[in-house]
Amino acid sequence: MIADSIYIQDGPLYTSAGVTAGIDLALKMIEDDHGRNLSIQIARKLLVFLRRPGGQSQFSAHLAAQIATEDRIQELQHWILDHVDEDLTLNALGNRVGMSVRNLSRVFLKETGETPADFVEQARVDAARRLLEENDLPLQRIASHSGFSNPDIIRRAFMRRIHISPNEYRKRFRA
């Protein structure tokens, strides 16, 4: 079982995580049966992204930032989203909100259900995804603009989070 996939196929059975994920699943099925070109034409007519991969996580850092109820954690999440290319180590984040690393880690996990490092990585992946969709910058520059120190690290984060490489992501979602 893949807990947060947008759709899955198990033999002849398919299921999606909801209505919009159902559109992605339908585009995948059209592509499988009739080819990528028809799937792309339909996606454009529907004004939706070209099919997202089924293993893509439903998680969005921007949505997760709405979960925390503790003001300092919520403000920190929003600040992280706006500053993905800055120093986002635990020490830097703890200093930003006036908390020790240990206390920040404990409170952040309690409030959000994830570690600060997981949130930072997802925020950086989201930023990189937008850059890959919107321009032709080389991967080194996209990595830098989204807070990753080098292309290898961004590749590993993409494989962990959305199960495809940044280059494959760009091919699928470039406007």
Side-chain angles (χ1 to χ4, degrees):
M1 184 173 118
I2 303 170
D4 65 350
S5 293
I6 61 172
Y7 63 80
I8 56 172
Q9 176 184 1
D10 185 10
L13 302 175
Y14 297 82
T15 187
S16 69
V19 174
T20 56
I23 294 170
D24 295 305
L25 175 56
L27 290 171
K28 179 229 185 295
M29 295 170 85
I30 291 167
E31 182 176 333
D32 289 350
D33 292 345
H34 303 285
R36 181 165 172 76
N37 288 340
L38 181 60
S39 181
I40 290 170
Q41 289 174 355
I42 292 170
R44 286 187 178 136
K45 288 210 183 277
L46 293 174
L47 301 175
V48 297
F49 282 116
L50 303 182
R51 184 178 60 83
R52 296 179 290 173
Q56 180 173 324
S57 173
Q58 300 174 60
F59 180 83
S60 162
H62 288 82
L63 292 176
Q66 298 172 15
I67 294 173
T69 57
E70 215 279 354
D71 288 342
R72 289 183 295 178
I73 300 302
Q74 195 173 59
E75 288 170 16
L76 182 62
Q77 287 178 304
H78 291 289
W79 185 86
I80 289 167
L81 292 170
D82 291 336
H83 300 89
V84 293
D85 61 337
E86 295 188 24
D87 177 8
L88 300 179
T89 60
L90 274 174
N91 283 333
L93 296 176
N95 289 338
R96 176 141 198 91
V97 293
M99 299 171 92
S100 69
V101 167
R102 183 170 180 250
N103 191 43
L104 171 63
S105 297
R106 183 185 59 76
V107 173
F108 199 100
L109 182 62
K110 179 179 169 248
E111 284 289 313
T112 68
E114 65 180 340
T115 67
D118 283 338
F119 184 83
V120 166
E121 182 178 79
Q122 185 61 46
R124 287 178 167 165
V125 166
D126 286 353
R129 286 169 54 183
R130 284 190 304 277
L131 289 169
L132 288 164
E133 292 166 9
E134 296 168 359
N135 63 66
D136 293 322
L137 290 172
L139 189 56
Q140 174 65 48
R141 299 247 335 261
I142 287 180
S144 176
H145 289 311
S146 54
F148 293 101
S149 58
N150 65 60
D152 288 335
I153 294 176
I154 193 175
R155 277 188 203 96
R156 286 194 297 266
F158 262 66
M159 293 308 293
R160 252 190 317 277
R161 298 284 174 174
I162 56 177
H163 311 291
I164 58 174
S165 71
N167 289 332
E168 181 64 24
Y169 185 88
R170 177 179 266 161
K171 287 178 195 169
R172 290 186 189 188
F173 300 107
R174 177 82 172 107

PDB file of all heavy atoms in Angstrom, residues 142-170:
ATOM      1  N   ILE A 142      18.531  25.653 -10.476  1.00  0.00           N
ATOM      2  CA  ILE A 142      17.267  25.340  -9.797  1.00  0.00           C
ATOM      3  C   ILE A 142      17.555  24.816  -8.403  1.00  0.00           C
ATOM      4  O   ILE A 142      16.897  25.203  -7.434  1.00  0.00           O
ATOM      5  CB  ILE A 142      16.431  24.353 -10.631  1.00  0.00           C
ATOM      6  CG1 ILE A 142      15.867  25.101 -11.832  1.00  0.00           C
ATOM      7  CG2 ILE A 142      15.329  23.713  -9.795  1.00  0.00           C
ATOM      8  CD1 ILE A 142      15.036  24.313 -12.760  1.00  0.00           C
ATOM      9  N   ALA A 143      18.556  23.963  -8.282  1.00  0.00           N
ATOM     10  CA  ALA A 143      18.944  23.446  -6.965  1.00  0.00           C
ATOM     11  C   ALA A 143      19.306  24.606  -6.049  1.00  0.00           C
ATOM     12  O   ALA A 143      18.823  24.692  -4.911  1.00  0.00           O
ATOM     13  CB  ALA A 143      20.115  22.474  -7.101  1.00  0.00           C
ATOM     14  N   SER A 144      20.115  25.514  -6.525  1.00  0.00           N
ATOM     15  CA  SER A 144      20.549  26.651  -5.722  1.00  0.00           C
ATOM     16  C   SER A 144      19.384  27.553  -5.322  1.00  0.00           C
ATOM     17  O   SER A 144      19.251  27.938  -4.164  1.00  0.00           O
ATOM     18  CB  SER A 144      21.590  27.453  -6.508  1.00  0.00           C
ATOM     19  OG  SER A 144      21.959  28.604  -5.804  1.00  0.00           O
ATOM     20  N   HIS A 145      18.518  27.879  -6.272  1.00  0.00           N
ATOM     21  CA  HIS A 145      17.368  28.764  -5.994  1.00  0.00           C
ATOM     22  C   HIS A 145      16.354  28.134  -5.033  1.00  0.00           C
ATOM     23  O   HIS A 145      15.592  28.851  -4.390  1.00  0.00           O
ATOM     24  CB  HIS A 145      16.649  29.148  -7.282  1.00  0.00           C
ATOM     25  CG  HIS A 145      17.404  30.091  -8.157  1.00  0.00           C
ATOM     26  ND1 HIS A 145      17.986  31.249  -7.705  1.00  0.00           N
ATOM     27  CD2 HIS A 145      17.672  30.037  -9.481  1.00  0.00           C
ATOM     28  CE1 HIS A 145      18.580  31.871  -8.695  1.00  0.00           C
ATOM     29  NE2 HIS A 145      18.413  31.153  -9.799  1.00  0.00           N
ATOM     30  N   SER A 146      16.342  26.814  -4.972  1.00  0.00           N
ATOM     31  CA  SER A 146      15.380  26.154  -4.091  1.00  0.00           C
ATOM     32  C   SER A 146      16.019  25.599  -2.819  1.00  0.00           C
ATOM     33  O   SER A 146      15.374  24.866  -2.074  1.00  0.00           O
ATOM     34  CB  SER A 146      14.621  25.064  -4.851  1.00  0.00           C
ATOM     35  OG  SER A 146      15.501  24.160  -5.453  1.00  0.00           O
ATOM     36  N   GLY A 147      17.274  25.975  -2.576  1.00  0.00           N
ATOM     37  CA  GLY A 147      17.902  25.633  -1.303  1.00  0.00           C
ATOM     38  C   GLY A 147      18.684  24.345  -1.262  1.00  0.00           C
ATOM     39  O   GLY A 147      19.183  23.965  -0.199  1.00  0.00           O
ATOM     40  N   PHE A 148      18.797  23.646  -2.369  1.00  0.00           N
ATOM     41  CA  PHE A 148      19.595  22.417  -2.409  1.00  0.00           C
ATOM     42  C   PHE A 148      21.023  22.786  -2.772  1.00  0.00           C
ATOM     43  O   PHE A 148      21.250  23.608  -3.652  1.00  0.00           O
ATOM     44  CB  PHE A 148      19.024  21.429  -3.425  1.00  0.00           C
ATOM     45  CG  PHE A 148      17.681  20.880  -3.039  1.00  0.00           C
ATOM     46  CD1 PHE A 148      16.523  21.374  -3.615  1.00  0.00           C
ATOM     47  CD2 PHE A 148      17.573  19.882  -2.085  1.00  0.00           C
ATOM     48  CE1 PHE A 148      15.279  20.872  -3.268  1.00  0.00           C
ATOM     49  CE2 PHE A 148      16.335  19.378  -1.722  1.00  0.00           C
ATOM     50  CZ  PHE A 148      15.186  19.877  -2.314  1.00  0.00           C
ATOM     51  N   SER A 149      21.981  22.156  -2.127  1.00  0.00           N
ATOM     52  CA  SER A 149      23.374  22.548  -2.337  1.00  0.00           C
ATOM     53  C   SER A 149      23.949  22.067  -3.662  1.00  0.00           C
ATOM     54  O   SER A 149      24.918  22.644  -4.152  1.00  0.00           O
ATOM     55  CB  SER A 149      24.243  22.069  -1.175  1.00  0.00           C
ATOM     56  OG  SER A 149      24.142  20.670  -1.028  1.00  0.00           O
ATOM     57  N   ASN A 150      23.354  21.019  -4.246  1.00  0.00           N
ATOM     58  CA  ASN A 150      23.858  20.550  -5.537  1.00  0.00           C
ATOM     59  C   ASN A 150      22.811  19.662  -6.219  1.00  0.00           C
ATOM     60  O   ASN A 150      21.844  19.238  -5.589  1.00  0.00           O
ATOM     61  CB  ASN A 150      25.202  19.818  -5.373  1.00  0.00           C
ATOM     62  CG  ASN A 150      25.087  18.549  -4.578  1.00  0.00           C
ATOM     63  OD1 ASN A 150      24.368  17.630  -4.955  1.00  0.00           O
ATOM     64  ND2 ASN A 150      25.792  18.487  -3.449  1.00  0.00           N
ATOM     65  N   PRO A 151      23.008  19.392  -7.513  1.00  0.00           N
ATOM     66  CA  PRO A 151      22.025  18.600  -8.264  1.00  0.00           C
ATOM     67  C   PRO A 151      21.806  17.186  -7.723  1.00  0.00           C
ATOM     68  O   PRO A 151      20.700  16.665  -7.827  1.00  0.00           O
ATOM     69  CB  PRO A 151      22.609  18.561  -9.685  1.00  0.00           C
ATOM     70  CG  PRO A 151      23.428  19.793  -9.785  1.00  0.00           C
ATOM     71  CD  PRO A 151      24.028  19.967  -8.408  1.00  0.00           C
ATOM     72  N   ASP A 152      22.836  16.564  -7.145  1.00  0.00           N
ATOM     73  CA  ASP A 152      22.651  15.219  -6.607  1.00  0.00           C
ATOM     74  C   ASP A 152      21.653  15.209  -5.449  1.00  0.00           C
ATOM     75  O   ASP A 152      20.837  14.296  -5.332  1.00  0.00           O
ATOM     76  CB  ASP A 152      23.982  14.624  -6.137  1.00  0.00           C
ATOM     77  CG  ASP A 152      24.886  14.262  -7.298  1.00  0.00           C
ATOM     78  OD1 ASP A 152      24.369  14.021  -8.411  1.00  0.00           O
ATOM     79  OD2 ASP A 152      26.118  14.226  -7.102  1.00  0.00           O
ATOM     80  N   ILE A 153      21.722  16.216  -4.614  1.00  0.00           N
ATOM     81  CA  ILE A 153      20.810  16.277  -3.463  1.00  0.00           C
ATOM     82  C   ILE A 153      19.381  16.526  -3.916  1.00  0.00           C
ATOM     83  O   ILE A 153      18.444  15.909  -3.409  1.00  0.00           O
ATOM     84  CB  ILE A 153      21.297  17.321  -2.443  1.00  0.00           C
ATOM     85  CG1 ILE A 153      22.617  16.844  -1.841  1.00  0.00           C
ATOM     86  CG2 ILE A 153      20.245  17.569  -1.363  1.00  0.00           C
ATOM     87  CD1 ILE A 153      23.274  17.818  -0.897  1.00  0.00           C
ATOM     88  N   ILE A 154      19.198  17.399  -4.896  1.00  0.00           N
ATOM     89  CA  ILE A 154      17.841  17.652  -5.397  1.00  0.00           C
ATOM     90  C   ILE A 154      17.284  16.382  -6.064  1.00  0.00           C
ATOM     91  O   ILE A 154      16.108  16.070  -5.900  1.00  0.00           O
ATOM     92  CB  ILE A 154      17.779  18.885  -6.334  1.00  0.00           C
ATOM     93  CG1 ILE A 154      16.327  19.307  -6.572  1.00  0.00           C
ATOM     94  CG2 ILE A 154      18.462  18.640  -7.644  1.00  0.00           C
ATOM     95  CD1 ILE A 154      16.180  20.590  -7.374  1.00  0.00           C
ATOM     96  N   ARG A 155      18.125  15.656  -6.781  1.00  0.00           N
ATOM     97  CA  ARG A 155      17.670  14.403  -7.420  1.00  0.00           C
ATOM     98  C   ARG A 155      17.196  13.398  -6.363  1.00  0.00           C
ATOM     99  O   ARG A 155      16.139  12.779  -6.509  1.00  0.00           O
ATOM    100  CB  ARG A 155      18.796  13.777  -8.246  1.00  0.00           C
ATOM    101  CG  ARG A 155      18.937  14.356  -9.616  1.00  0.00           C
ATOM    102  CD  ARG A 155      19.957  13.563 -10.464  1.00  0.00           C
ATOM    103  NE  ARG A 155      20.462  14.415 -11.507  1.00  0.00           N
ATOM    104  CZ  ARG A 155      21.596  15.107 -11.453  1.00  0.00           C
ATOM    105  NH1 ARG A 155      22.395  15.014 -10.409  1.00  0.00           N
ATOM    106  NH2 ARG A 155      21.962  15.883 -12.443  1.00  0.00           N
ATOM    107  N   ARG A 156      17.985  13.251  -5.302  1.00  0.00           N
ATOM    108  CA  ARG A 156      17.601  12.296  -4.251  1.00  0.00           C
ATOM    109  C   ARG A 156      16.302  12.724  -3.568  1.00  0.00           C
ATOM    110  O   ARG A 156      15.445  11.894  -3.275  1.00  0.00           O
ATOM    111  CB  ARG A 156      18.724  12.142  -3.231  1.00  0.00           C
ATOM    112  CG  ARG A 156      19.893  11.322  -3.778  1.00  0.00           C
ATOM    113  CD  ARG A 156      20.841  10.883  -2.674  1.00  0.00           C
ATOM    114  NE  ARG A 156      21.498  11.980  -1.989  1.00  0.00           N
ATOM    115  CZ  ARG A 156      22.692  12.463  -2.299  1.00  0.00           C
ATOM    116  NH1 ARG A 156      23.386  11.937  -3.281  1.00  0.00           N
ATOM    117  NH2 ARG A 156      23.216  13.458  -1.609  1.00  0.00           N
ATOM    118  N   ALA A 157      16.145  14.026  -3.333  1.00  0.00           N
ATOM    119  CA  ALA A 157      14.913  14.522  -2.702  1.00  0.00           C
ATOM    120  C   ALA A 157      13.707  14.276  -3.607  1.00  0.00           C
ATOM    121  O   ALA A 157      12.642  13.870  -3.132  1.00  0.00           O
ATOM    122  CB  ALA A 157      15.043  16.011  -2.378  1.00  0.00           C
ATOM    123  N   PHE A 158      13.868  14.502  -4.899  1.00  0.00           N
ATOM    124  CA  PHE A 158      12.763  14.248  -5.837  1.00  0.00           C
ATOM    125  C   PHE A 158      12.399  12.769  -5.858  1.00  0.00           C
ATOM    126  O   PHE A 158      11.213  12.424  -5.860  1.00  0.00           O
ATOM    127  CB  PHE A 158      13.142  14.716  -7.252  1.00  0.00           C
ATOM    128  CG  PHE A 158      12.609  16.077  -7.593  1.00  0.00           C
ATOM    129  CD1 PHE A 158      13.066  17.208  -6.931  1.00  0.00           C
ATOM    130  CD2 PHE A 158      11.646  16.236  -8.568  1.00  0.00           C
ATOM    131  CE1 PHE A 158      12.580  18.458  -7.239  1.00  0.00           C
ATOM    132  CE2 PHE A 158      11.146  17.488  -8.893  1.00  0.00           C
ATOM    133  CZ  PHE A 158      11.616  18.604  -8.226  1.00  0.00           C
ATOM    134  N   MET A 159      13.380  11.914  -5.873  1.00  0.00           N
ATOM    135  CA  MET A 159      13.095  10.476  -5.891  1.00  0.00           C
ATOM    136  C   MET A 159      12.377  10.053  -4.607  1.00  0.00           C
ATOM    137  O   MET A 159      11.450   9.252  -4.651  1.00  0.00           O
ATOM    138  CB  MET A 159      14.380   9.667  -6.093  1.00  0.00           C
ATOM    139  CG  MET A 159      15.013   9.852  -7.468  1.00  0.00           C
ATOM    140  SD  MET A 159      13.893   9.584  -8.867  1.00  0.00           S
ATOM    141  CE  MET A 159      13.574   7.838  -8.721  1.00  0.00           C
ATOM    142  N   ARG A 160      12.774  10.608  -3.467  1.00  0.00           N
ATOM    143  CA  ARG A 160      12.119  10.298  -2.196  1.00  0.00           C
ATOM    144  C   ARG A 160      10.692  10.819  -2.164  1.00  0.00           C
ATOM    145  O   ARG A 160       9.786  10.144  -1.676  1.00  0.00           O
ATOM    146  CB  ARG A 160      12.889  10.969  -1.043  1.00  0.00           C
ATOM    147  CG  ARG A 160      13.663  10.073  -0.169  1.00  0.00           C
ATOM    148  CD  ARG A 160      14.198  10.747   1.092  1.00  0.00           C
ATOM    149  NE  ARG A 160      14.760  12.076   0.930  1.00  0.00           N
ATOM    150  CZ  ARG A 160      15.998  12.353   0.532  1.00  0.00           C
ATOM    151  NH1 ARG A 160      16.816  11.376   0.217  1.00  0.00           N
ATOM    152  NH2 ARG A 160      16.422  13.596   0.441  1.00  0.00           N
ATOM    153  N   ARG A 161      10.493  12.036  -2.643  1.00  0.00           N
ATOM    154  CA  ARG A 161       9.199  12.709  -2.490  1.00  0.00           C
ATOM    155  C   ARG A 161       8.198  12.416  -3.598  1.00  0.00           C
ATOM    156  O   ARG A 161       7.013  12.260  -3.315  1.00  0.00           O
ATOM    157  CB  ARG A 161       9.402  14.230  -2.410  1.00  0.00           C
ATOM    158  CG  ARG A 161      10.219  14.682  -1.235  1.00  0.00           C
ATOM    159  CD  ARG A 161       9.407  14.616   0.015  1.00  0.00           C
ATOM    160  NE  ARG A 161      10.231  14.909   1.172  1.00  0.00           N
ATOM    161  CZ  ARG A 161       9.750  15.037   2.378  1.00  0.00           C
ATOM    162  NH1 ARG A 161       8.475  14.923   2.601  1.00  0.00           N
ATOM    163  NH2 ARG A 161      10.557  15.282   3.381  1.00  0.00           N
ATOM    164  N   ILE A 162       8.645  12.429  -4.858  1.00  0.00           N
ATOM    165  CA  ILE A 162       7.676  12.267  -5.946  1.00  0.00           C
ATOM    166  C   ILE A 162       8.020  11.123  -6.886  1.00  0.00           C
ATOM    167  O   ILE A 162       7.340  10.912  -7.879  1.00  0.00           O
ATOM    168  CB  ILE A 162       7.450  13.585  -6.715  1.00  0.00           C
ATOM    169  CG1 ILE A 162       8.736  14.152  -7.253  1.00  0.00           C
ATOM    170  CG2 ILE A 162       6.734  14.592  -5.853  1.00  0.00           C
ATOM    171  CD1 ILE A 162       8.539  15.412  -8.083  1.00  0.00           C
ATOM    172  N   HIS A 163       9.080  10.402  -6.576  1.00  0.00           N
ATOM    173  CA  HIS A 163       9.422   9.147  -7.254  1.00  0.00           C
ATOM    174  C   HIS A 163       9.801   9.310  -8.723  1.00  0.00           C
ATOM    175  O   HIS A 163       9.691   8.350  -9.485  1.00  0.00           O
ATOM    176  CB  HIS A 163       8.297   8.114  -7.095  1.00  0.00           C
ATOM    177  CG  HIS A 163       7.835   7.964  -5.682  1.00  0.00           C
ATOM    178  ND1 HIS A 163       8.622   7.393  -4.696  1.00  0.00           N
ATOM    179  CD2 HIS A 163       6.690   8.353  -5.071  1.00  0.00           C
ATOM    180  CE1 HIS A 163       7.969   7.419  -3.552  1.00  0.00           C
ATOM    181  NE2 HIS A 163       6.794   7.999  -3.742  1.00  0.00           N
ATOM    182  N   ILE A 164      10.219  10.505  -9.125  1.00  0.00           N
ATOM    183  CA  ILE A 164      10.779  10.723 -10.456  1.00  0.00           C
ATOM    184  C   ILE A 164      11.904  11.741 -10.320  1.00  0.00           C
ATOM    185  O   ILE A 164      11.955  12.503  -9.352  1.00  0.00           O
ATOM    186  CB  ILE A 164       9.740  11.208 -11.493  1.00  0.00           C
ATOM    187  CG1 ILE A 164       9.073  12.514 -11.064  1.00  0.00           C
ATOM    188  CG2 ILE A 164       8.708  10.133 -11.779  1.00  0.00           C
ATOM    189  CD1 ILE A 164       8.155  13.110 -12.112  1.00  0.00           C
ATOM    190  N   SER A 165      12.780  11.774 -11.301  1.00  0.00           N
ATOM    191  CA  SER A 165      13.903  12.713 -11.265  1.00  0.00           C
ATOM    192  C   SER A 165      13.431  14.123 -11.632  1.00  0.00           C
ATOM    193  O   SER A 165      12.366  14.281 -12.248  1.00  0.00           O
ATOM    194  CB  SER A 165      14.977  12.273 -12.261  1.00  0.00           C
ATOM    195  OG  SER A 165      14.521  12.483 -13.586  1.00  0.00           O
ATOM    196  N   PRO A 166      14.198  15.137 -11.283  1.00  0.00           N
ATOM    197  CA  PRO A 166      13.832  16.504 -11.695  1.00  0.00           C
ATOM    198  C   PRO A 166      13.713  16.637 -13.214  1.00  0.00           C
ATOM    199  O   PRO A 166      12.807  17.316 -13.700  1.00  0.00           O
ATOM    200  CB  PRO A 166      14.975  17.367 -11.157  1.00  0.00           C
ATOM    201  CG  PRO A 166      15.552  16.583 -10.028  1.00  0.00           C
ATOM    202  CD  PRO A 166      15.375  15.139 -10.415  1.00  0.00           C
ATOM    203  N   ASN A 167      14.594  15.990 -13.967  1.00  0.00           N
ATOM    204  CA  ASN A 167      14.519  16.073 -15.426  1.00  0.00           C
ATOM    205  C   ASN A 167      13.246  15.436 -15.958  1.00  0.00           C
ATOM    206  O   ASN A 167      12.605  15.975 -16.860  1.00  0.00           O
ATOM    207  CB  ASN A 167      15.759  15.455 -16.070  1.00  0.00           C
ATOM    208  CG  ASN A 167      16.987  16.312 -15.855  1.00  0.00           C
ATOM    209  OD1 ASN A 167      16.899  17.529 -15.718  1.00  0.00           O
ATOM    210  ND2 ASN A 167      18.144  15.679 -15.810  1.00  0.00           N
ATOM    211  N   GLU A 168      12.863  14.294 -15.403  1.00  0.00           N
ATOM    212  CA  GLU A 168      11.614  13.652 -15.813  1.00  0.00           C
ATOM    213  C   GLU A 168      10.422  14.527 -15.417  1.00  0.00           C
ATOM    214  O   GLU A 168       9.466  14.665 -16.175  1.00  0.00           O
ATOM    215  CB  GLU A 168      11.493  12.260 -15.183  1.00  0.00           C
ATOM    216  CG  GLU A 168      10.235  11.518 -15.569  1.00  0.00           C
ATOM    217  CD  GLU A 168      10.126  11.191 -17.048  1.00  0.00           C
ATOM    218  OE1 GLU A 168      11.168  11.111 -17.733  1.00  0.00           O
ATOM    219  OE2 GLU A 168       8.980  11.035 -17.521  1.00  0.00           O
ATOM    220  N   TYR A 169      10.489  15.125 -14.243  1.00  0.00           N
ATOM    221  CA  TYR A 169       9.422  16.030 -13.818  1.00  0.00           C
ATOM    222  C   TYR A 169       9.280  17.173 -14.819  1.00  0.00           C
ATOM    223  O   TYR A 169       8.176  17.515 -15.235  1.00  0.00           O
ATOM    224  CB  TYR A 169       9.706  16.576 -12.415  1.00  0.00           C
ATOM    225  CG  TYR A 169       8.568  17.414 -11.896  1.00  0.00           C
ATOM    226  CD1 TYR A 169       7.514  16.824 -11.206  1.00  0.00           C
ATOM    227  CD2 TYR A 169       8.521  18.786 -12.129  1.00  0.00           C
ATOM    228  CE1 TYR A 169       6.450  17.584 -10.758  1.00  0.00           C
ATOM    229  CE2 TYR A 169       7.461  19.548 -11.693  1.00  0.00           C
ATOM    230  CZ  TYR A 169       6.423  18.942 -11.006  1.00  0.00           C
ATOM    231  OH  TYR A 169       5.362  19.698 -10.585  1.00  0.00           O
ATOM    232  N   ARG A 170      10.395  17.765 -15.206  1.00  0.00           N
ATOM    233  CA  ARG A 170      10.358  18.880 -16.156  1.00  0.00           C
ATOM    234  C   ARG A 170       9.740  18.437 -17.481  1.00  0.00           C
ATOM    235  O   ARG A 170       8.917  19.147 -18.053  1.00  0.00           O
ATOM    236  CB  ARG A 170      11.754  19.426 -16.388  1.00  0.00           C
ATOM    237  CG  ARG A 170      11.784  20.542 -17.442  1.00  0.00           C
ATOM    238  CD  ARG A 170      13.158  21.095 -17.638  1.00  0.00           C
ATOM    239  NE  ARG A 170      13.316  22.253 -16.782  1.00  0.00           N
ATOM    240  CZ  ARG A 170      14.468  22.763 -16.425  1.00  0.00           C
ATOM    241  NH1 ARG A 170      15.596  22.211 -16.803  1.00  0.00           N
ATOM    242  NH2 ARG A 170      14.509  23.831 -15.652  1.00  0.00           N
TER     243      ARG A 170
END
